[in-house]
Amino acid sequence: MSASSPLLLELIEALRCLPGVGAKSAQRMAFHLLERDREGARRLAGRLVDAVERIGHCRRCRTFSETEMCATCAGSGRDATLLCVVETPVDQLAVEQATGYRGLYFVLLGRLSPLDGLGPAELGLDQLAQRLREGEVRELIIATNPTVEGEATAHYLAQLARAANVRASRIAHGVPIGGELEFVDRGTLAHAFGSRQSV
Amino acid sequence: MQRIDRQPAWVLHERPYRETSVLLEVLTRDHGRVGLVARGVRSAKPRFARGTVKPLQALELSWLGRGELGNLAGADPVGVPVPLAGDGLLCALYLNELLARLLARNDPHPDVFARYASVLYELAAAGDALGQAWALRRFERDLLAGLGYALPLDEDEQGQVLEPAAQYAIDPERGALRWSGRGPAPLLVSGAALRALADDAAPAPEVLRELKRALRALLRHHLGGRDLAAWSMRPPASGSIND
């Protein structure tokens, strides 16, 4: 490749930090921006710098926020007696888009995972325990993922809620809607069968 | 390139890798701890069912070996996942961290492998925190023995039979040193506690705590003086792994 422009090589290398972008895609992106869309490239560069500089975490729920407190936590329209715990901001978005939930969130930014060095302190659980003790929350909705680590985290959260005398609930897991039993993996089916409900 | 077929295995840890893949830390029967890449498991059409390749599920794995990381080529579940819940799950995370940190890669210990499977089921069957703690201590004993660091469980360093009422300091290199009561007190464990572990007889709760402290000190030594992250994961309303 053109040794005539070290900057170009650096740009291609930098673009590879994006998920799903390998050497070939990075090269296409770099050439596209330089040949056809320098204005778009300028805008992208500006927004990237702004976002990285200005987006931090909400003091109350730890999700991404430009302000000290995010719009969800600061707004008056939400039910502050419900608190939903999720692993990541993306999970929060998924719940928000799918459910019509009107309560507040707490984002762990991870899950208990000793081998990744993530313990209660890293997940902000002291802060969560403090919030539960404040007494406003009536129900803690635990929406961590149904993985081994997510379940261990859910158990830990349930213990926190119990210690603070707050009701804890766990989102259900089972056969996907429109799915067929034949193709559901054993663990999921065993779980769905075990937690069947009367109809 | 080496192909390994249908090797009994347990996943100790999984972590996302690239866009659709997962890095697995796996305990196998004949190849010890192995690192594997499971390509495409997080894609829309995974090659292996996403729910299959996960911890606490007995597996038969096939992979292509090359250098540090193997390439997962096949995964079949054996039976259903171990029915662990609550504190049992936290215990299992502890065991997985312990094995991932203590076992060297590609160093097979078939006896440790077999013992890992049995302790998971013991944890699932344990009725309470004491039962779980006892299952963990017995596993730690067998793990250390399996790695050649067996605890001195019947004789002290002088070859004398351990006395239940006497106090001993465990030295990782020399064995059980009978405590004379002079000088600054090291971490001590009673002869009764060591004999309970030797006889596989569930001891009283305070003896169990003694054993936990002694075993943890010994494990810390073999971990190069470092603590495990799981040791600081203590749920507020229970205390099975940390009491």
Side-chain angles (χ1 to χ4, degrees):
Chain A
M1 179 151 7
S2 82
S4 58
S5 172
L7 259 183
L8 180 58
L9 294 181
E10 279 175 34
L11 173 61
I12 292 170
E13 196 47 46
L15 284 166
R16 292 188 59 180
C17 76
L18 292 166
V21 175
K24 201 78 188 166
S25 313
Q27 191 178 313
R28 262 182 37 229
M29 288 176 182
F31 278 100
H32 172 85
L33 290 172
L34 289 173
E35 283 177 66
R36 305 213 167 75
D37 198 2
R38 293 201 176 217
E39 192 39 50
R42 228 169 251 129
R43 204 166 53 239
L44 176 63
R47 291 292 81 76
L48 275 177
V49 171
D50 288 350
V52 170
E53 301 275 303
R54 303 209 332 242
I55 300 179
H57 293 282
C58 170
R59 174 166 58 81
R60 198 137 170 82
C61 73
R62 295 165 49 97
T63 198
F64 290 131
S65 174
E66 288 167 51
T67 46
E68 203 186 335
M69 193 133 52
C70 72
T72 311
C73 287
S76 56
R78 314 280 305 201
D79 182 350
T81 64
L82 296 177
L83 187 63
C84 175
V85 185
V86 291
E87 291 185 16
T88 64
V90 182
D91 294 340
Q92 177 188 3
L93 189 66
V95 173
E96 191 70 5
Q97 288 173 339
T99 62
Y101 170 68
R102 298 299 300 157
L104 296 174
Y105 293 91
F106 189 86
V107 183
L108 300 172
L109 304 172
R111 69 226 96 65
L112 287 181
S113 177
L115 278 167
D116 294 316
L118 294 176
E122 286 73 20
L123 304 183
L125 296 189
D126 307 350
Q127 191 189 337
L128 179 64
Q130 171 62 30
R131 185 153 168 194
L132 292 177
R133 279 195 298 272
E134 283 167 14
E136 194 172 19
V137 178
R138 293 263 160 267
E139 180 180 352
L140 187 73
I141 303 167
I142 302 170
T144 54
N145 290 325
T147 57
V148 168
E149 290 169 349
E151 291 296 347
T153 311
H155 168 69
Y156 197 105
L157 291 167
Q159 301 286 351
L160 276 187
R162 184 185 300 174
N165 245 334
V166 171
R167 188 170 101 81
S169 58
R170 178 86 175 106
I171 57 162
H173 14 281
V175 182
I177 291 175
E180 292 172 43
L181 297 193
E182 184 189 350
F183 297 113
V184 173
D185 71 274
R186 294 181 192 182
T188 305
L189 192 52
H191 199 106
F193 205 82
S195 50
R196 64 187 179 276
Q197 297 175 349
S198 20
V199 289
Chain B
M1 179 131 20
Q2 184 192 15
R3 188 186 163 96
I4 285 104
D5 263 318
R6 308 203 65 156
Q7 173 65 215
W10 295 88
V11 172
L12 298 178
H13 187 56
E14 49 177 345
R15 107 173 21 132
Y17 176 63
R18 302 250 173 103
E19 185 74 331
T20 59
S21 302
V22 169
L23 279 182
L24 300 171
E25 207 55 58
V26 174
L27 180 68
T28 68
R29 191 188 59 196
D30 303 326
H31 299 267
R33 183 166 72 86
V34 174
L36 297 176
V37 187
R39 294 195 194 280
V41 276
R42 289 155 64 227
S43 65
K45 289 181 188 163
R47 286 163 63 210
F48 323 100
R50 175 80 173 112
T52 308
V53 189
K54 61 175 185 189
L56 310 185
Q57 162 75 61
L59 294 165
E60 280 185 354
L61 300 180
S62 307
W63 69 90
L64 292 163
R66 193 168 45 107
E68 265 288 276
L69 282 178
N71 233 323
L72 189 66
D76 295 297
V78 179
V80 297
V82 184
L84 277 168
D87 283 343
L89 277 174
L90 295 173
C91 294
L93 287 187
Y94 158 63
L95 290 177
N96 289 359
E97 187 191 15
L98 178 63
L99 291 174
R101 293 259 185 265
L102 203 56
L103 299 181
R105 281 247 173 104
N106 306 311
D107 179 18
H109 290 283
D111 40 350
V112 171
F113 179 85
R115 209 38 199 95
Y116 176 72
S118 67
V119 73
L120 291 183
Y121 284 99
E122 285 169 25
L123 286 172
D128 54 13
L130 287 177
Q132 287 168 345
W134 181 231
L136 292 178
R137 299 299 86 81
R138 292 170 58 240
F139 177 77
E140 290 162 352
R141 173 197 68 194
D142 296 344
L143 173 65
L144 287 168
L147 298 181
Y149 309 134
L151 273 160
L153 291 177
D154 29 67
E155 289 182 350
D156 70 9
E157 167 223 19
Q158 315 271 346
Q160 305 283 321
V161 173
L162 296 183
E163 280 177 38
Q167 296 285 315
Y168 297 88
I170 304 290
D171 184 297
E173 317 298 335
R174 291 155 66 199
L177 314 181
R178 189 162 174 160
W179 171 239
S180 60
R182 285 190 300 275
L187 180 62
L188 292 174
V189 60
S190 68
L194 293 173
R195 283 173 59 158
L197 206 52
D199 298 342
D200 235 3
E206 62 274 13
V207 178
L208 212 43
R209 272 194 291 274
E210 236 179 88
L211 279 175
K212 179 176 137 174
R213 280 194 301 270
L215 280 159
R216 186 173 284 193
L218 207 54
L219 289 170
R220 188 181 286 118
H221 171 83
H222 292 301
L223 287 162
R226 288 182 316 167
D227 277 18
L228 293 180
W231 285 341
S232 59
M233 277 181 7
R234 179 203 180 98
S238 60
S240 68
I241 53 174
N242 286 298
D243 261 349

